Amino acid sequence: MRMHKSAGVSVDAMLEDLRTLVEVESPSRDLKALNASARAVAAVVESRLGGQATLVESAAGPHVHWSGGGEPRVLVLGHHDTVFPLGTLERRPFRVADGRATGPGVFDMLGGLVQAVHGLAALDDLSGVEVLVTADEEVGSASSRALIEERARACGAVLVFEGAADGGGLKTGRKGCGSFQVHIKGRASHAGLEPAAGVNALVEAAHQVLAVAALSRPEAGTTVTPTVASAGTSDNVVPAEATVHVDVRVESAGEKERVEAGFAALVPHVEGAEIEVRGSVGRPPMPESASAELFAMARRLLPGIEGKAVGGGSDGNFTAALGVPTLDGLGAVGGGAHADHEYVVVDAMAERAHLVTGLVNAIRDARGV
């Protein structure tokens, strides 16, 4: 399918599209906002690439899917949900100044989406190319995972447009990541009159914090970090309930299994206390071997570009776990993901868009297209 053609990319046009997307706020789980955001993404894709984008409805909001026709060869993957609540735009509007574009979601990951679309638009032929922009990456991708995996298997290569690593590097590996909650049930009593009549859920929580923290193996790249805890109702009442939230990051499938088994084996330490554990390592690790082929192509196109293994997860974890070649961090050069100082380096946008163009051609050439 031959569509929109261009000899290059326009940074001004990219910034205009970036403004359009940023100004349609898209917090995860806000279905009304995500519907508007999906329509805005589809409109940008259609205006630059031609054809028609499909909105794939889900419980988490619409995912946007576009195909250039022909035999699927490469999946361009991103998301349009952001972590910022409605109203952030009023406080922090889209702005371009001093070589930086700022605004909610510019780096994670609307800038990458725009660069991907404009890089694709510079191709003479878009056959074999698919674009999938999901609505729930920031909250775990529960509604989009099956679709991501289906299209990744069909295409055989995945380019992920999350923001670049520090210094503009590509993300060649990612830790698997997940979260767990340890819920503790005790029994309330008067802390002054009858402390022994109660079962102190907070004391049990303290035991559990130490037990889960002991599952960490930093030397193996595994971190198990208690992050949020809550307990009790009043300063003179033995706490009847407590909850501990835990962040987990692992580099290998073996460590994923070990940590999950460790959580399953937790037992109470305080007599009469009961515990319930929920959670899992929902995103499997993305080994650097999954990116080796595509990273080599990128190095030929942009000599000197670095590859880095990072701790955060993305939807590329799912595709890499399938054995599908996956390269991440192809999005915007910048920083401040999830923070008020989030920014995109404007001068890097054209180079990254051209990298998209070159990678898609290299992948199709390698696969005989």
Side-chain angles (χ1 to χ4, degrees):
M1 181 185 296
R2 294 185 177 271
M3 300 183 188
H4 181 88
K5 304 177 182 65
S6 172
V9 296
S10 163
V11 174
D12 288 341
M14 282 195 282
L15 289 172
E16 188 58 37
D17 285 347
L18 182 55
R19 175 188 294 275
T20 295
L21 297 185
V22 169
E23 291 183 346
V24 182
E25 293 183 283
S26 55
S28 305
R29 298 193 175 98
D30 187 320
L31 298 185
K32 182 178 179 181
L34 290 167
N35 269 280
S37 176
R39 290 194 297 270
V41 170
V44 167
V45 169
E46 291 171 356
S47 70
R48 300 300 178 184
L49 304 182
Q52 184 171 1
T54 301
L55 299 189
V56 182
E57 299 296 335
S58 82
H63 314 308
V64 182
H65 180 244
W66 178 93
S67 173
E71 184 73 18
R73 297 294 181 182
V74 57
L75 177 65
V76 169
L77 183 59
H79 64 89
H80 65 97
D81 63 319
T82 65
V83 301
F84 301 103
L86 292 179
T88 304
L89 184 68
E90 183 177 0
R91 177 173 56 84
R92 191 159 54 88
F94 179 79
R95 185 167 177 257
V96 180
D98 301 322
R100 293 183 172 189
T102 55
V106 288
F107 180 67
D108 188 10
M109 60 168 286
L110 302 175
L113 291 182
V114 168
Q115 290 170 184
V117 170
H118 282 255
L120 295 176
L123 291 163
D124 289 333
D125 180 7
L126 285 162
S127 60
V129 178
E130 292 192 18
V131 177
L132 178 59
V133 185
T134 65
D136 63 344
E137 190 275 344
E138 295 290 4
V139 290
S141 306
S143 77
S144 59
R145 180 173 180 174
L147 178 61
I148 291 166
E149 292 176 340
E150 173 196 314
R151 298 324 307 157
R153 286 191 182 98
C155 291
V158 180
L159 304 177
V160 185
F161 284 83
E162 295 284 357
D166 290 345
L170 302 179
K171 295 174 180 177
T172 52
R174 284 186 178 272
K175 288 187 178 183
C177 53
S179 60
F180 291 80
Q181 302 84 43
V182 182
H183 301 277
I184 300 152
K185 183 178 179 181
R187 184 171 63 248
S189 67
H190 195 292
L193 298 177
E194 295 184 302
V199 177
N200 196 315
L202 179 54
V203 172
E204 180 61 51
H207 285 286
Q208 296 302 325
V209 165
L210 295 176
V212 299
L215 293 171
S216 285
R217 283 187 181 170
E219 70 279 6
T222 299
T223 58
V224 181
T225 309
T227 54
V228 178
S230 60
T233 56
S234 177
D235 60 2
N236 64 352
V237 178
V238 172
E241 293 185 352
T243 301
V244 178
H245 295 260
V246 188
D247 178 272
V248 174
R249 310 282 164 148
V250 299
E251 286 186 358
S252 69
E255 280 295 279
K256 171 184 182 296
E257 293 168 3
R258 183 188 68 82
V259 170
E260 289 180 338
F263 273 94
L266 292 174
V267 295
H269 292 253
V270 175
E271 185 177 355
E274 300 175 6
I275 66 172
E276 178 186 4
V277 179
R278 302 173 187 167
S280 66
V281 180
R283 293 186 192 274
M286 173 183 166
E288 292 192 77
S289 58
S291 65
E293 175 190 0
L294 300 181
F295 180 59
M297 293 179 182
R299 288 292 295 266
R300 288 193 290 270
L301 293 163
L302 203 59
I305 194 167
E306 294 185 353
K308 297 183 179 181
V310 298
S314 82
D315 287 335
N317 291 57
F318 297 134
T319 63
L322 299 174
V324 177
T326 300
L327 184 59
D328 203 341
L330 286 159
V333 176
H338 298 190
D340 281 353
H341 66 280
E342 183 181 24
Y343 69 94
V344 168
V345 177
V346 173
D347 283 350
M349 293 180 74
E351 181 178 77
R352 300 298 277 218
H354 286 303
L355 181 58
V356 180
T357 310
L359 274 172
V360 170
N361 274 331
I363 291 167
R364 293 189 302 187
D365 287 347
R367 285 156 174 74
V369 179

